Amino acid sequence: MRLSQFHLHTSKETPADAEIASHRLMLRAGLIRKLAAGLYTWSPLGLRVLRRVEAVVREEMERAGAVELLMPSVQPRELWEETGRWEKFGGQLLKIQDRKESWYCYGPTHEEVITDFARAELASYRQLPVTFFQIQTKFRDEIRPRFGVMRAREFLMKDAYSFDIDDAGMAAQYQRMYDAYVRIFTRLQLEFRAVEADTGAIGGSASHEFHVLADSGEDAIAFSTATDYAANVELAQAAEPAARAAPSEDMRRVETPTQKTCDDVAALLGIPLARTVRTVAVMGAEGFTVVLMRGDHALNEIKLAKLPGLGDYRMATEAEIADHLGSEPGFLGPVAPARAIRVVADREVAAMADFVVGANVPGFHLAGVNWGRDLPEPDSVADLRNVAEGDRATDGGEIRIARGIEVGHVFQLGRRYAEAMGFTVLDEQGKAVVPAMGCYGIGVSRIVAAAIEQNHDEAGIIWPEPMAPWQVAVCVINPKQNPDVDEAAEALHRELRSAGLDVVLDDRGLRPGPMFADIELIGIPHRVVVSERGLAAGTFEYRARRGGDSENLDRGTLMTRLGIAD
């Protein structure tokens, strides 16, 4: 490949609307160009990177036994109504009509379509297990697309779907896909973690997210210093609290005229924030409920929603609070409510003694409160909080929090979609059974941005070699137009290509400064300079993109440095 015959358009200017490194560098390096909000054209350079990622994903999916197909991106409304997701999926679902005024959506995911395909193609246990996959454009109408291709509306995704006769088979397929994902991200030379995760809108039981670690990541992940345990903070748990201590104080009312938060109350009383309890009033399926959290802990809304009797809960209104507790926000507590209420306590609160909580009287709190003496034991106790840095982990280690960019997600879907769409196969006894499904997604275009977030410096992108548009750039410096220099560069270009390397020849005739700046910006792992001076000395100037100074190497040493054996 010659750069003189390739479209390469870089820029020195930093785009004003680019907030993170990957967005800035993808625009500066000319990998993408914005068409509209959340919509990007991939340039020839960007497409080379995208195709490299896609190739690794495809190879590992096929290695894991998955079979590739291609499904329509436009999907009929009727399929989504079978599963109830036409309305439930929300505003991200782009709905369109054809000339006959029939409704369709531009696929954000393909559970319905693959299940429709499977129910028409699979009839017997003899055809199972099977996993289908595709690499295809998806569209989700993000309310606020940002960060370039990191949170775009249109993106390239690999989605795979497995079908098994029973749960054991589904679990085996899930592990096979999990292992394939580990190989994919390892081959791409990314620092990543697989974390336990919530199943979210897709549904199902077991679920893991794969995160590329980066300070700019939108997701917080918790991991232990003792083992490889890791989980999204939405799901992560700390170790069980210590047993509750015996009461050592009498309950007493303390005046807190303007102190409505745990922080202010703790400061007024001169006590640690961890001795206070925050009361959150909600309305759930079983009516009015107060949720008790330690003052220094954050409520995990996903954990709370999974608690029996809450489901799609909402915050209680001031009128509902006054009716049940006889007070106003800022002074709420579980002691002596105006009416019978349901009390749900985070397990840390259930283990507390001599704590401080609102008195249900404006301007007052209660101190020295104890379970079983001053109020009944809670109706429910559960892990309802976000873990925090320094918590004790369930494996005995310490919890650490890191930022991550989600690039993959695997689910054990179970039978949710197959049952909704009436999909059955015959088992060995000739009985109709509903197959168990798995779902496995990778954001191919997102991986490109995540890799840049993890691999860049002030000069530009530093591609992991398996993702780079070219492995080696041969740069020609020939201001005197010496034909021997051009021939030497051509010969090196041919030799490296014959050895199996993907090489680009920078024959644009630029001065060294602009030429080298471009090669660094676009992140080529190895740069080799051919010049008249080097030709006379029998050397090539070599520099690795990932650090180090330029070196003058003879041919044999250069080949060794590039991994080519003589």
Side-chain angles (χ1 to χ4, degrees):
M1 175 69 69
R2 294 171 175 271
L3 273 187
S4 62
Q5 299 172 359
F6 187 82
H7 177 77
L8 179 65
H9 185 189
T10 62
S11 172
K12 294 180 180 179
E13 302 300 322
T14 299
D17 61 343
E19 302 176 56
I20 59 174
S22 60
H23 192 190
R24 292 193 297 270
L25 291 173
M26 290 183 80
L27 289 170
R28 283 193 56 213
L31 274 72
I32 56 173
R33 291 292 180 253
K34 183 176 178 179
L35 177 65
L39 303 176
Y40 290 88
T41 296
W42 287 78
S43 74
L45 182 69
L47 188 60
R48 288 185 69 88
V49 178
L50 199 61
R51 291 291 183 251
R52 288 194 178 280
V53 176
E54 185 179 323
V56 171
V57 171
R58 180 174 281 108
E59 287 169 12
E60 290 300 338
M61 292 305 295
E62 291 176 348
R63 177 181 170 187
V67 183
E68 188 169 9
L69 49 55
L70 184 62
M71 293 175 276
S73 56
V74 176
Q75 307 177 18
R77 171 181 181 167
E78 290 76 15
L79 283 184
W80 283 70
E81 287 183 330
E82 285 188 57
T83 61
R85 291 208 299 173
W86 183 256
E87 298 298 336
K88 287 184 180 179
F89 201 87
Q92 287 190 333
L93 189 64
L94 178 63
K95 301 176 181 179
I96 52 179
Q97 281 185 294
D98 66 9
R99 67 180 69 194
K100 297 179 181 178
E101 298 186 351
S102 297
W103 282 99
Y104 296 83
C105 67
Y106 195 113
T109 184
H110 276 68
E111 284 80 14
E112 284 81 0
V113 178
I114 194 64
T115 305
D116 180 67
F117 175 81
R119 68 183 175 185
E121 297 286 324
L122 308 177
S124 166
Y125 74 95
R126 298 180 186 276
Q127 296 170 280
L128 304 179
V130 64
T131 299
F132 300 107
F133 82 96
Q134 66 173 349
I135 300 176
Q136 188 216 49
T137 299
K138 299 285 193 290
F139 187 94
R140 296 181 185 175
D141 198 4
E142 294 278 354
I143 190 170
R144 187 175 169 235
R146 54 183 178 157
F147 305 151
V149 300
M150 191 77 77
R151 188 163 292 282
R153 294 193 294 167
E154 184 181 87
F155 52 94
L156 188 65
M157 180 180 178
K158 186 284 301 175
D159 48 323
Y161 307 89
S162 64
F163 297 90
D164 287 272
I165 196 68
D166 55 25
D167 290 347
M170 175 182 66
Q173 288 284 77
Y174 181 87
Q175 186 62 49
R176 191 172 293 115
M177 289 297 109
Y178 180 100
D179 293 342
Y181 277 35
V182 171
R183 292 195 300 271
I184 287 167
F185 298 118
T186 300
R187 281 185 59 183
L188 293 174
Q189 299 178 7
L190 297 172
E191 185 182 357
F192 70 96
R193 277 188 178 268
V195 304
E196 296 176 13
D198 184 70
T199 55
I202 300 296
S205 51
S207 172
H208 283 83
E209 293 173 353
F210 287 78
H211 287 260
V212 170
L213 302 184
D215 291 339
S216 59
E218 290 186 282
D219 297 306
I221 59 175
F223 61 94
S224 172
T225 58
T227 66
D228 61 357
Y229 169 78
N232 193 300
V233 290
E234 297 170 346
L235 199 67
Q237 291 190 3
E240 291 274 359
R244 185 192 299 167
S248 62
E249 300 178 11
D250 293 328
M251 186 175 72
R252 61 195 184 278
R253 181 183 289 189
V254 293
E255 191 171 359
T256 53
T258 60
Q259 289 73 26
K260 295 186 176 183
T261 68
C262 288
D263 292 90
D264 290 343
V265 171
L268 177 70
L269 301 181
I271 60 173
L273 185 59
R275 285 191 57 193
T276 66
V277 170
R278 178 161 50 96
T279 303
V280 181
V282 302
M283 291 294 290
E286 295 184 7
F288 188 87
T289 301
V290 295
V291 181
L292 304 181
M293 299 294 302
R294 211 170 78 179
D296 60 335
H297 287 161
L299 173 65
N300 186 310
E301 296 181 357
I302 291 177
K303 292 180 180 178
L304 181 61
K306 291 181 178 180
L307 204 65
L310 286 180
D312 293 328
Y313 71 89
R314 62 170 174 81
M315 303 306 293
T317 65
E318 290 195 15
E320 290 166 338
I321 290 171
D323 183 39
H324 288 84
L325 298 179
S327 186
E328 63 185 54
F331 305 98
L332 307 183
V335 180
R339 296 173 55 184
I341 59 172
R342 181 187 182 201
V343 177
V344 174
D346 177 69
R347 62 186 185 180
E348 296 280 353
V349 174
M352 292 175 70
D354 302 324
F355 55 89
V356 175
V357 71
N360 286 326
V361 177
F364 290 92
H365 278 70
L366 298 174
V369 178
N370 284 275
W371 296 104
R373 185 193 71 184
D374 306 313
L375 77 167
E377 295 290 339
D379 298 295
S380 297
V381 176
D383 171 37
L384 299 175
R385 72 177 180 94
N386 285 335
V387 295
E389 184 90 14
D391 282 340
R392 187 166 56 89
T394 55
D395 58 15
E398 195 170 278
I399 292 287
R400 293 282 183 266
I401 306 294
R403 306 302 300 180
I405 299 167
E406 183 188 342
V407 291
H409 207 158
V410 292
F411 302 86
Q412 289 186 28
L413 287 179
R415 295 168 176 79
R416 170 183 173 183
Y417 294 93
E419 285 179 346
M421 298 181 69
F423 171 34
T424 63
V425 298
L426 298 179
D427 65 11
E428 291 185 67
Q429 287 73 44
K431 178 184 176 183
V433 296
V434 178
M437 291 177 59
C439 171
Y440 320 96
I442 280 183
V444 178
S445 50
R446 198 173 222 221
I447 287 173
V448 176
I452 296 172
E453 290 297 325
Q454 198 175 81
N455 298 276
H456 70 273
D457 61 15
E458 66 281 354
I461 302 165
I462 308 174
W463 288 117
E465 197 158 317
M467 297 178 61
W470 298 282
Q471 294 168 284
V472 183
V474 175
C475 299
V476 185
I477 298 177
N478 192 13
K480 298 179 182 178
Q481 300 300 309
N482 184 338
D484 292 339
V485 175
D486 289 339
E487 176 52 38
E490 294 272 8
L492 180 62
H493 181 226
R494 287 193 300 269
E495 184 176 8
L496 296 180
R497 289 186 62 190
S498 297
L501 296 180
D502 198 351
V503 188
V504 65
L505 178 64
D506 194 344
D507 59 345
R508 295 174 294 167
L510 299 181
R511 291 180 292 106
M515 182 191 302
F516 296 164
D518 272 355
I519 297 303
E520 289 195 330
L521 175 60
I522 66 177
I524 308 303
H526 307 280
R527 186 187 79 200
V528 181
V529 178
V530 180
S531 67
E532 192 172 54
R533 179 184 300 176
L535 200 60
T539 61
F540 302 93
E541 182 184 298
Y542 169 81
R543 187 173 189 272
R545 179 65 182 88
R546 197 175 289 277
D549 298 324
S550 296
E551 306 172 78
N552 291 316
L553 308 177
D554 60 35
R555 179 194 169 281
T557 306
L558 174 65
M559 295 302 165
T560 301
R561 192 66 55 87
L562 295 176
I564 301 171
D566 283 331

